Amino acid sequence: MYRYDETDRQIIMDRVAQFRGQTDRFLSGDLPEAEFLPLRLQNGLYVQRFAPMLRICIPYGMLSSPQLRRLARISRDYDKGYAHFTTRQNVQFNWPKLEDVPDILAELAEVEMHGVQTSGNCIRNTTTDQFAGVTDEEIVDPRPYCEIIRQWSTFHPEFAFLPRKFKIAVNACPDSDRAAIQVHDIGLQMIRNDAGELGFQVRVGGGLGRTPLIGSVIREFLPELDLLTYLDAILRVYNRYGRRDNKYKARIKILVKALGPEAFAEKVEAEWAHIKDSPARLTEAEIDRIKVHFSSPAYLTVEQIDTAAFEKAREENTFFGNWVNRNVTEHRVPGYAAVTLTLKKLGVPPGDVTDKQLDALASLCEQYSFGELRVTHEQNVVLADVRKDQLFDLWTAIKPLGFATPNLGTLTDMICCPGGDYCSLANAKSIPVAEALQARFDDLDYLYDLGPIDLNISGCMNACGHHHVGNIGVLGVDKKGEEWYQVSLGGASGQDADIGKILGPSFAREQMPEVIDRILQTYVDQRQGDETFLDTYRRIGINPFKERVYASAS
Amino acid sequence: MPLLLDSGQQTEDLWVVLPRSDTPADQTIPDGKVLIHLASWEAQRDELKDRASEIGVWLDSDDEPERLATEALSLPVLAVNFPVFSDGRGYSIARLIRERLGYTGDLLAIGDVLVDQLFYMKRCGINQFRLRSDQKTDAAVAALSTFSDSYQSSVEQPLPLFRRRPA
């Protein structure tokens, strides 16, 4: 992964000093709350329902073992001993004290971490595929480009006060998309043109929130060296012309929709023509410099790995076999596998980890995966480089930690925001719904029979739980001060991205397990052959589900 | 309050900022050094020709810097207004005035100009700051050198860090 040089380190130390000064001025009354607000947000600090919340950036999801240990220590020393992985590959502390935040940021800076631009109306963390660099599906490792974007977007002088927040995601797989790039402000699909040159298909104006939209392609092929100047052009058009009169209409998707994607693209191209050959243009040398940081670790050859023992264990032990089938992913290097550790254990809010678990993850990635780990947008973590002959040991080690629930990709591997238990924006609690569903659908055989289903829960229409793109989406709504839940069906976040359709009137929390059960029964009754839930929904439409769910005696 | 310069030094603020007028052609332009809104200058620039050294033009955050005629680029002062500090359009406007139009005179930030935005303003080519009256000068001077280096190309340093990194 990327390691700082002296300049990177100095810049991040300068940031800590800057925020310490700003916090002092706020606490002494020199800096009014309204003016401190965007400054603290751009360092990840929210003031939440019960306490401040601090969001720490994990660039495109990559963490090292010293970073994990530092997060564990911070959660012990400054918080209540746990942290929460988010749907954008970041991590949050829910209980820090405002006056401690500069010290926390200083501790993070020592391990090359920060809270820079994890909130506020600026360019946020760039996200990508959690299997980047290890999947044989990709045409190139997207992480060097994410790092290049990270550096370009960090303290960009022109784009710190955009109309609204701005999220970029990169995908390098032609046939799959684990980064949900079509629902980002900018989605970059890495491609090769007919001449074999590397570049990006550029999509703009996707997003969730109140106005869920799939992004539009504004350029079919952007050569890789033009990446940064083209991003500058898009951001400049948005900064100048995006709406600032209404925060619900301020995202770039509204501008793209209002102008039309073609007219928007023309504006970007016109701007870009002025700057494409400026010194801001990326260089081969820089791409090469960054790529060195993402070179392959010292893999053994497949002959050095006892894969036969692994295959034997897989056959002999059904539980291990189930886990391998579900939670272990093929690796581009023979003899290796990528392992997803699920943070979706019954009774634990999705994405939550204790300090002890963070320390354990640090040791696990040192022992099994070259000291690195990735956070996924489904709020799980991945050990990306595990030898197959060590999978059984790893499985044995993670079972008591609660990381081996073999439910990856199934109904109970839910995405869920912190909801009304923690977040001051939420209309409704989301975690109790997730827990009730996990309790109701705890039969693994049934879950396996249902196959892949994304169930996503958001506590409000800001959509941090990505409910629009869940095959089943649940949205917390407020009806006269009471918490209700609206269900949508048919959303998807991959290459076939789609926004879910609302099923009908919303439900009380205690009705939710029964509602989901009826939806699942409809699928089971109607499916043909190997159809997934999404396939069946796309074939039969929403009505059969609606009829069953709203039939009497609910 | 004196004007803060990008060097951290201060100088007397001699400019009177005339507000935007609904009838720019009829706006009375007083004697002395005056900053007038782009629309007023466009409407009256022939009459103001003889006063070139004491007229400056300011742009609001919804103005298009592309509208600035060539004559405007020889004025001693242009200014960018920040109606509220969180309106970031002024940063793009400043860069366009410097990088696209090639303006080399003084570029002022006016309006809601606060300590914590100065560093970015400076990088976007603004070299004089009319701070909001409650801002503390020592904090403002310190803010001008918040970061020891920056990643991106800017007016101040056109070469992005990746073209300057030690090997």
Side-chain angles (χ1 to χ4, degrees):
Chain A
M1 63 193 273
Y2 186 75
R3 302 288 160 149
Y4 286 8
D5 72 2
E6 262 322 300
T7 314
D8 297 312
R9 202 166 291 124
Q10 187 57 49
I11 288 173
I12 216 64
M13 301 293 284
D14 291 342
R15 179 60 158 195
V16 175
Q18 178 193 39
F19 190 63
R20 195 180 291 283
Q22 290 166 340
T23 305
D24 288 346
R25 283 162 51 222
F26 170 68
L27 293 172
S28 71
D30 274 359
L31 188 56
E33 164 62 23
E35 288 161 19
F36 182 54
L37 180 117
L39 308 176
R40 64 168 165 76
L41 287 179
Q42 298 208 12
N43 286 286
L45 181 61
Y46 284 77
V47 174
Q48 290 285 49
R49 181 157 284 187
F50 300 112
M53 182 273 278
L54 183 64
R55 185 180 294 150
I56 309 302
C57 186
I58 304 175
Y60 36 92
M62 297 287 300
L63 278 174
S64 66
S65 58
Q67 292 177 329
L68 283 159
R69 291 213 168 84
R70 186 55 59 94
L71 290 172
R73 190 173 104 185
I74 289 171
S75 80
R76 270 192 299 274
D77 293 352
Y78 297 96
D79 205 290
K80 296 188 175 181
Y82 67 95
H84 174 80
F85 287 113
T86 77
T87 55
R88 291 203 79 255
Q89 300 182 305
N90 289 321
V91 64
Q92 291 176 184
F93 292 116
N94 284 313
W95 308 94
K97 289 197 191 71
L98 185 141
E99 54 271 30
D100 286 341
V101 171
D103 290 338
I104 297 175
L105 295 180
E107 291 213 17
L108 288 168
E110 288 173 2
V111 291
E112 305 180 6
M113 294 187 80
H114 54 76
V116 171
Q117 293 170 209
T118 54
S119 182
N121 297 333
C122 53
I123 306 165
R124 305 286 190 86
N125 187 18
T126 297
T127 53
T128 192
D129 186 357
Q130 68 266 29
F131 297 126
V134 301
T135 174
D136 59 6
E137 295 173 61
E138 70 192 11
I139 60 165
V140 67
D141 185 347
R143 293 172 301 167
Y145 301 90
C146 293
E147 175 59 26
I148 285 166
I149 295 170
R150 182 192 76 80
Q151 296 190 16
W152 162 82
S153 63
T154 299
F155 313 135
H156 197 300
E158 192 177 340
F159 306 131
F161 295 93
L162 295 169
R164 200 74 177 86
K165 59 188 170 184
F166 203 92
K167 301 175 181 179
I168 303 175
V170 186
N171 178 39
C173 299
D175 301 316
S176 59
D177 174 14
R178 285 172 288 264
I181 67 165
Q182 298 191 34
V183 288
H184 276 76
D185 295 289
I186 294 178
L188 297 168
Q189 176 73 42
M190 300 205 70
I191 51 171
R192 285 192 190 279
N193 65 8
D194 295 341
E197 294 155 340
L198 196 62
F200 303 87
Q201 182 199 54
V202 183
R203 217 177 252 278
V204 175
L208 301 175
R210 282 164 199 247
T211 315
L213 282 170
I214 302 294
S216 307
V217 175
I218 62 162
R219 193 168 233 278
E220 287 295 346
F221 185 80
L222 179 73
E224 57 174 338
L225 292 182
D226 293 320
L227 173 64
L228 298 184
T229 51
Y230 202 78
L231 292 178
D232 269 321
I234 296 172
L235 266 295
R236 183 172 282 173
V237 169
Y238 172 54
N239 189 39
R240 293 181 69 188
Y241 303 111
R243 283 182 64 173
R244 291 173 185 267
D245 59 324
N246 178 344
K247 77 181 260 200
Y248 301 115
K249 305 219 179 277
R251 294 289 288 268
I252 195 173
K253 62 192 171 188
I254 305 292
L255 177 65
V256 173
K257 203 175 164 206
L259 291 173
E262 296 78 19
F264 180 84
E266 278 170 29
K267 271 188 178 300
V268 170
E269 294 283 329
E271 176 58 42
W272 185 53
H274 290 286
I275 58 177
K276 63 191 291 255
D277 298 316
S278 71
R281 188 168 197 249
L282 202 48
T283 61
E284 297 270 11
E286 173 66 356
I287 294 176
D288 292 344
R289 181 185 81 88
I290 302 276
K291 277 188 173 168
V292 170
H293 291 269
F294 297 92
S295 53
S296 291
Y299 292 122
L300 298 182
T301 63
V302 69
E303 292 76 25
Q304 293 171 288
I305 297 169
D306 187 359
T307 50
F310 158 68
E311 295 297 346
K312 189 159 171 274
R314 187 180 180 173
E315 264 170 46
E316 287 175 357
N317 185 324
T318 321
F319 297 106
F320 176 61
N322 272 347
W323 175 78
V324 170
N325 289 340
R326 269 294 143 198
N327 294 20
V328 175
T329 307
E330 280 301 313
H331 197 289
R332 68 180 169 82
V333 176
Y336 282 82
V339 177
T340 303
L341 277 53
T342 49
L343 307 181
K344 309 289 174 70
K345 195 177 184 277
L346 179 59
V348 179
D352 270 16
V353 277
T354 64
D355 61 326
K356 287 191 184 65
Q357 286 177 316
L358 286 165
D359 278 331
L361 287 172
S363 302
L364 287 168
C365 69
E366 280 168 355
Q367 194 174 349
Y368 294 101
S369 194
F370 298 98
E372 292 179 2
L373 166 154
R374 294 107 181 274
V375 181
T376 80
H377 102 266
E378 292 92 357
Q379 302 174 284
N380 294 314
V381 297
V382 168
L383 299 183
D385 296 294
V386 182
R387 277 166 50 185
K388 282 189 173 166
D389 59 355
Q390 295 191 330
L391 283 171
F392 192 85
D393 288 349
L394 173 61
W395 177 67
T396 311
I398 64 177
K399 269 197 302 179
L401 294 164
F403 294 147
T405 312
N407 66 341
L408 188 69
T410 69
L411 181 79
T412 55
D413 179 24
M414 291 172 242
I415 296 181
C416 182
C417 73
D421 290 298
Y422 301 103
C423 175
S424 58
L425 303 172
N427 289 321
K429 293 182 180 176
S430 46
I431 290 167
V433 176
E435 289 181 345
L437 295 176
Q438 280 169 333
R440 171 80 168 245
F441 302 103
D442 64 345
D443 176 352
L444 281 172
D445 289 332
Y446 183 54
L447 291 178
Y448 295 157
D449 177 59
L450 291 171
I453 300 182
D454 291 339
L455 195 156
N456 297 355
I457 307 175
S458 304
C460 75
M461 62 181 106
N462 290 310
C464 297
H466 299 185
H467 64 277
H468 299 112
V469 290
N471 304 156
I472 301 174
V474 177
L475 167 66
V477 291
D478 176 275
K479 280 210 299 201
K480 296 176 189 153
E482 285 180 41
E483 298 182 3
W484 289 74
Y485 298 87
Q486 187 182 73
V487 174
S488 56
L489 296 181
S493 65
Q495 290 286 16
D496 56 350
D498 208 350
I499 304 298
K501 261 197 194 148
I502 294 168
L503 187 65
S506 52
F507 306 98
R509 191 188 303 160
E510 55 275 16
Q511 292 176 297
M512 286 306 295
E514 176 64 19
V515 168
I516 301 300
D517 193 38
R518 288 181 180 207
I519 290 168
L520 297 173
Q521 285 169 25
T522 312
Y523 159 61
V524 170
D525 290 351
Q526 301 264 1
R527 69 178 160 189
Q528 295 177 353
D530 289 338
E531 268 186 347
T532 63
F533 179 85
L534 189 62
D535 293 336
T536 302
Y537 170 85
R538 285 180 171 168
R539 181 172 52 79
I540 67 176
I542 202 163
N543 283 332
F545 294 94
K546 199 184 266 183
E547 284 161 19
R548 182 99 167 229
V549 168
Y550 292 99
S552 58
S554 58
Chain B
M1 199 171 185
L3 272 184
L4 179 67
L5 307 180
D6 58 351
S7 62
Q9 301 194 300
Q10 297 177 64
T11 184
E12 199 183 343
D13 188 353
L14 302 167
W15 294 91
V16 173
V17 178
L18 220 56
R20 213 166 162 164
S21 164
D22 292 337
T23 52
D26 302 326
Q27 190 175 28
T28 308
I29 315 291
D31 290 338
K33 287 182 180 284
V34 196
L35 275 166
I36 62 177
H37 180 251
L38 176 62
S40 300
W41 183 76
E42 285 173 334
Q44 302 192 37
R45 71 184 200 208
D46 291 339
E47 297 96 277
L48 294 169
K49 259 200 175 101
D50 301 337
R51 295 178 57 191
S53 65
E54 50 179 30
I55 297 290
V57 168
W58 66 270
L59 282 79
D60 219 337
S61 62
D62 59 351
D63 285 326
E64 307 262 311
E66 290 87 346
R67 254 170 63 191
L68 282 168
T70 324
E71 295 95 309
L73 303 178
S74 52
L75 293 173
V77 171
L78 294 177
V80 179
N81 184 42
F82 291 81
V84 290
F85 75 95
S86 54
D87 182 344
R89 287 174 286 188
Y91 299 95
S92 290
I93 292 171
R95 283 192 80 168
L96 289 167
I97 289 173
R98 290 292 193 202
E99 296 174 336
R100 186 76 33 92
L101 305 176
Y103 178 68
T104 54
D106 286 328
L107 189 57
L108 247 79
I110 61 172
D112 205 22
V113 179
L114 310 183
V115 164
D116 297 290
Q117 281 72 53
L118 297 181
F119 188 80
Y120 288 158
M121 288 182 181
K122 181 177 152 207
R123 290 187 63 205
C124 288
I126 293 171
N127 66 318
Q128 301 194 349
F129 311 92
R130 174 180 271 210
L131 290 164
R132 201 176 67 190
S133 59
D134 62 347
Q135 300 296 291
K136 298 221 162 113
T137 309
D138 51 345
V141 171
L144 289 170
S145 51
T146 301
F147 291 96
S148 48
D149 207 335
S150 299
Y151 289 107
Q152 310 77 8
S153 167
S154 67
V155 176
E156 213 185 14
Q157 171 51 277
L159 293 181
L161 181 58
F162 62 77
R163 289 182 186 267
R164 297 182 282 111
R165 270 204 210 254

